[in-house]
Amino acid sequence: MNPRRRAFHSLQLARPLVRSPDRGAALITVMLVMFTLLGLGMTAMWMTSGSLQISAITNMRNQALYVAEAGIEAARGDLNGATSRVLDDLLKGGKDPTFDNIPTGVDANGQPNGIGAVYFYANNARLRDVAFPPASFQRGAGSTAEAPQSTTMGTYTVWIRNDTNELRQGKLIDDDNNSVVIRSRGVAVDGRTEVVLEVTLGAGVNPPLVPTLCNAGKNACDENNSTISGIFVQ
């Protein structure tokens, strides 16, 4: 080999390699894009899961509300039925001593210290843990593979007590004004979600018992409160 070419070749071999400043940038960019997409995917999954949970909770709450309303209507329908009911007998209860919670007075805020006696029909059938809708609705169980469905929406329990005004006068089970408070607790099929409604039924024009409304003053609607998961709605 020509000495000059040999010297030039040796010089090239001895020259240090210079790396390009852009070397590896593409790899870093790809990794950043992958991490970003992974984060977006996880966020989307988390939001979807949260939405499904919220939807399920709302559905259970609505079912419990419908069941509680069914309890109110059951008691009102019985009170307005063909069979005359003696309110004093209903107020003193005794058909379900375990779950009766008849007020013995009022607390420091003037509110009843009990929720009432378990409501019962003329045949002594108690309105406790009553499934709704009833079997007569023929609500099927559906297909567990395609359309699962519970045979009921839940259960309701109904209590009756004297109205707050008379309780404040010491009239615990003696009704003089044909006005009572009906309390209904609806429990959804999950056994945890519940809604409690209270409505005052008073003498109407005919004179069936109908809801009486009041809308003035903080304590003016004590007999017409709705309680939904512990929240009083005036």
Side-chain angles (χ1 to χ4, degrees):
M1 180 182 292
N2 190 317
R4 287 186 177 181
R5 297 189 62 182
R6 184 184 296 113
F8 179 75
H9 184 67
S10 300
L11 180 61
Q12 284 185 326
L13 293 176
R15 181 182 299 171
L17 297 177
V18 179
R19 295 182 179 274
S20 172
D22 297 332
R23 193 180 185 91
L27 177 60
I28 296 176
T29 302
V30 171
M31 292 181 65
L32 289 175
V33 172
M34 290 180 62
F35 283 131
T36 301
L37 293 176
L38 179 62
L40 291 175
M42 294 181 65
T43 301
M45 291 180 60
W46 177 78
M47 293 182 65
T48 301
S49 176
S51 297
L52 291 175
Q53 291 180 0
I54 293 174
S55 178
I57 292 173
T58 302
N59 182 49
M60 287 292 106
R61 180 63 58 83
N62 288 337
Q63 290 193 39
L65 175 61
Y66 297 150
V67 173
E69 290 176 341
I72 295 290
E73 291 303 318
R76 183 169 65 172
D78 181 63
L79 290 171
N80 292 334
T83 302
S84 178
R85 304 304 307 276
V86 179
L87 292 181
D88 289 358
D89 291 342
L90 292 170
L91 292 173
K92 69 181 180 181
K95 304 301 180 181
D96 198 339
T98 303
F99 287 87
D100 284 344
N101 187 14
I102 302 172
T104 59
V106 294
D107 58 21
N109 296 320
Q111 300 300 315
N113 58 8
I115 60 178
V118 175
Y119 194 95
F120 59 92
Y121 288 135
N123 62 359
N124 294 332
R126 299 162 298 171
L127 293 188
R128 178 165 69 84
D129 297 332
V130 179
F132 181 83
S136 60
F137 278 49
Q138 297 182 349
R139 179 183 170 104
S143 170
T144 56
E146 299 178 359
Q149 178 175 301
S150 173
T151 54
T152 66
M153 298 173 65
T155 60
Y156 63 78
T157 300
V158 180
W159 291 268
I160 182 173
R161 72 169 186 266
N162 213 351
D163 64 279
T164 307
N165 287 334
E166 288 196 317
L167 288 176
R168 290 171 178 170
Q169 299 172 26
K171 300 176 182 179
L172 305 178
I173 57 174
D174 302 321
D175 178 72
D176 292 335
N177 60 1
N178 204 30
S179 180
V180 293
V181 175
I182 300 296
R183 177 187 179 94
S184 177
R185 183 188 66 192
V187 182
V189 291
D190 63 355
R192 299 190 305 269
T193 306
E194 67 176 50
V195 172
V196 176
L197 300 179
E198 282 190 358
V199 60
T200 295
L201 300 181
V205 293
N206 282 328
L209 294 176
V210 298
T212 58
L213 302 178
C214 52
N215 54 15
K218 179 179 179 181
N219 297 321
C221 296
D222 288 342
E223 304 84 15
N224 192 43
N225 286 334
S226 293
T227 310
I228 301 181
S229 295
I231 301 176
F232 285 87
V233 181
Q234 295 283 359

